[in-house]
Amino acid sequence: MDVDLRTAFGDDPVPSQEAENRARAALHQLMSSKEQRVTSSNRRRFVITAALAAAAAVVAVVAVVVTKDDLPASVPDVASAKGVLPFARPASAAEYLENAAWTAERKPWKDPRPDQFMYIETLQLRNKPAYENENPNGAIRPDLSEQRKIQEWWSVDGQSRASYQDGRLVVTKRGENGEFWNRIAWPTIAAMTSPGKVPDAVPGPGSLAVELDAFIGQYVVPPAVQAAIFRHLAQAPGMTINPDAVNIDGRPAIGLGRILEGYLSEELLFDQETYQFIGERLVAIKDHVTHGDDADLVSHRGDVYRQAIYAKLIIVDRPGDTR
């Protein structure tokens, strides 16, 4: 359904708070009627330690595009929601995350079949391969960086995966050519529908447990689970606001995150107006020297170690599908 945002404010010469809320609801309706833009990430997790490993926690959120006819009656869409955003002017990380959860749970969703695939498309800011290979723990250098589109397909049942290799789509089944991996079972994912049901580390087969911040960048989850993750993070200690964050193309964003090792800010990036989750990054907030056995890693305030935009995290029928 097309929404004319120009009519949302009515005739108010100076928009009232009620008019602003009507406009915001109309914007959310427009977002829900079109393909959602979200961010994904490189599957590596950096951990910067004294041994010169680099550390980054990936936090991601998911949106799935289906038709309005697929929307279950139990999930209200934005147009019919009588409420407004919980916080008109959020002042804390917890309030921002509650607004993000409110937005997320109003997105349409249809439970996937086991034979369908999670499609994860990420736009990442990375150093060029030659420099990255020589400096895998280094900060992203503006003069040597590039944007890369990363595409991955994972079957919902965890038995197949696919990606492009040298321009060719390669599909691999678990156990084929000696390749094995473990994936979190779908019932475990679908059960995380409230903050109390969201663990810090999501349990998987055997001894596998994936930390929450990594998990949500590697799986396409239902909107109810997405909202529960936001609310779980809102309860986590140490969440701070960075009002000066930017996303990968330079647009302003709100950064919410925690401080790691005293000098790294692990941030989730949100659109300032819509509270849509758009990406994540790891950035140094002060100068720091990490001493290692072979060399020291010098970080300067403002150095970015990771930055990603979630372009698509959706359910598709087969590898190669992107919509």
Side-chain angles (χ1 to χ4, degrees):
M1 177 185 298
D2 291 334
V3 179
D4 187 351
L5 298 180
R6 294 172 296 179
T7 65
F9 283 101
D11 297 324
D12 306 62
V14 176
S16 64
Q17 185 60 56
E18 181 182 359
E20 290 182 11
N21 288 331
R22 291 199 307 269
R24 192 179 298 280
L27 181 56
H28 282 299
Q29 180 186 359
L30 179 62
M31 290 163 52
S32 295
S33 67
K34 298 181 183 293
E35 185 173 56
Q36 303 296 315
R37 284 195 65 216
V38 287
T39 59
S40 178
S41 62
N42 164 359
R43 296 309 115 198
R44 292 189 299 166
R45 282 176 55 78
F46 298 112
V47 180
I48 297 180
T49 65
L52 286 180
V58 180
V59 181
V61 189
V62 184
V64 173
V65 179
V66 295
T67 64
K68 189 171 182 179
D69 291 339
D70 292 321
L71 182 62
S74 61
V75 180
D77 67 12
V78 175
S80 63
K82 295 184 180 300
V84 295
L85 283 165
F87 298 96
R89 294 178 177 85
S92 67
E95 291 179 357
Y96 272 104
L97 286 165
E98 178 57 34
N99 279 0
W102 186 93
T103 300
E105 64 193 357
R106 281 159 174 77
K107 294 173 183 176
W109 171 263
K110 184 176 181 179
D111 285 334
R113 303 186 312 269
D115 63 332
Q116 288 184 299
F117 282 76
M118 303 178 186
Y119 172 56
I120 302 170
E121 180 181 316
T122 313
L123 186 62
Q124 301 175 10
L125 186 63
R126 302 265 294 274
N127 284 321
K128 293 182 178 179
Y131 183 83
E132 186 177 80
N133 291 339
E134 292 292 327
N135 302 272
N137 299 329
I140 297 171
R141 287 184 46 175
D143 59 329
L144 292 175
S145 64
E146 62 184 10
Q147 293 185 13
R148 299 187 203 171
K149 184 170 76 172
I150 309 298
Q151 297 173 282
E152 297 176 297
W153 291 262
W154 291 91
S155 63
V156 174
D157 64 11
Q159 297 304 303
S160 300
R161 68 180 182 185
S163 63
Y164 280 103
Q165 300 177 17
D166 298 323
R168 183 172 63 93
L169 182 64
V170 177
V171 181
T172 306
K173 294 186 180 297
R174 189 174 184 275
E176 189 175 69
N177 299 323
E179 291 194 39
F180 292 90
W181 56 80
N182 286 318
R183 296 282 287 177
I184 305 299
W186 182 256
T188 300
I189 296 172
M192 296 190 298
T193 54
S194 68
K197 296 179 180 179
V198 176
D200 290 322
V202 185
S207 60
L208 173 68
V210 181
E211 292 184 15
L212 179 63
D213 48 13
F215 161 78
I216 54 180
Q218 299 173 2
Y219 294 80
V220 176
V221 305
V225 173
Q226 178 182 344
I229 289 172
F230 281 139
R231 292 185 172 116
H232 178 89
L233 291 172
Q235 298 171 3
M239 295 293 288
T240 60
I241 303 174
N242 176 5
D244 300 320
V246 296
N247 70 16
I248 206 165
D249 58 7
R251 292 179 298 168
I254 292 293
L256 306 178
R258 290 170 285 194
I259 306 304
L260 304 177
E261 302 187 21
Y263 73 101
L264 291 170
S265 179
E266 167 192 285
E267 296 177 355
L268 327 179
L269 303 179
F270 291 84
D271 186 280
Q272 288 185 338
E273 297 297 324
T274 65
Y275 301 97
Q276 181 81 10
F277 190 93
I278 56 177
E280 53 86 10
R281 72 173 186 167
L282 185 74
V283 59
I285 57 173
K286 64 181 182 180
D287 296 346
H288 182 81
V289 178
T290 302
H291 299 289
D293 294 335
D294 299 322
D296 293 339
L297 178 64
V298 179
S299 298
H300 301 284
R301 181 180 178 181
D303 281 352
V304 176
Y305 286 90
R306 177 182 179 76
Q307 186 164 298
I309 294 296
Y310 298 93
K312 288 183 182 179
L313 288 91
I314 59 175
I315 298 295
V316 297
D317 286 335
R318 60 188 62 83
D321 288 351
T322 59
R323 61 181 65 186

